[in-house]
Amino acid sequence: MMTSNEIKQALPHRYPFLLVDRVIEVEAGKQARAYKNVSHNDPFFEGHFPQFPVMPGVLILEALAQTAGLAMANKEETNKIGLFAGVDKCRFKKQVVPGDQLHLAAEITRQKGAIAKAHVIATVDGEIACEADMMFAMAEV
């Protein structure tokens, strides 16, 4: 488990773009599991869509990318971050709405040099909301 302060130390994102609320498990270089509590107070619901609030798919992908970033994080190389480089086989299967708890899982499937790939899955109540393969390019900050 990671506290919110530890998450902020591991990820460069900040409000309103930090989309990981709690980390359940991290195996450095292998996998991470986390979640985001989806709330009416999330700023994106003001415009997406006020009468029918649905979490934007790109933000679900971003939450998954942040989870993969936690799995890729290397404490010895704090000057590097994983930049989102691509997405393949992405499917959205369930709407994510206020009150949901979005469970995020990322498994690093390949990491060679500055390139990493991950298989990611977001679920709500055990049902897949989004699944994809992502690619990241490691960059120095």
Side-chain angles (χ1 to χ4, degrees), residues 5-136:
N5 285 334
E6 290 170 325
I7 294 169
K8 287 179 185 176
Q9 288 174 351
L11 292 175
H13 308 81
R14 294 296 176 264
Y15 178 84
F17 223 70
L18 180 59
L19 299 174
V20 174
D21 290 328
R22 172 155 298 175
V23 176
I24 302 164
E25 178 181 7
V26 174
E27 239 183 302
K30 295 186 179 183
Q31 60 94 26
R33 292 184 316 125
Y35 64 81
K36 165 153 184 49
N37 293 312
V38 182
S39 166
H40 281 286
N41 295 325
D42 285 319
F44 49 82
F45 286 128
E46 190 173 320
H48 196 269
F49 304 97
Q51 305 299 10
F52 186 72
V54 177
M55 185 173 182
V58 295
L59 293 182
I60 296 170
L61 284 173
E62 177 61 29
L64 287 164
Q66 290 178 21
T67 304
L70 290 165
M72 292 183 295
N74 183 337
K75 290 181 182 177
E76 286 78 44
E77 295 182 356
T78 57
N79 65 328
K80 291 192 177 183
I81 60 170
L83 300 176
F84 198 11
V87 63
D88 292 312
K89 301 178 188 171
C90 181
R91 294 290 180 263
F92 296 98
K93 299 180 178 189
K94 177 178 175 46
Q95 293 174 356
V96 178
V97 299
D100 284 345
Q101 187 174 69
L102 189 61
H103 288 261
L104 308 161
E107 178 185 354
I108 305 305
T109 57
R110 185 169 185 196
Q111 193 161 5
K112 187 173 183 179
I115 302 297
K117 292 185 177 184
H119 183 73
V120 296
I121 301 174
T123 61
V124 174
D125 295 329
E127 291 183 54
I128 294 175
C130 179
E131 185 170 11
D133 292 321
M134 295 181 152
M135 184 168 45
F136 302 89

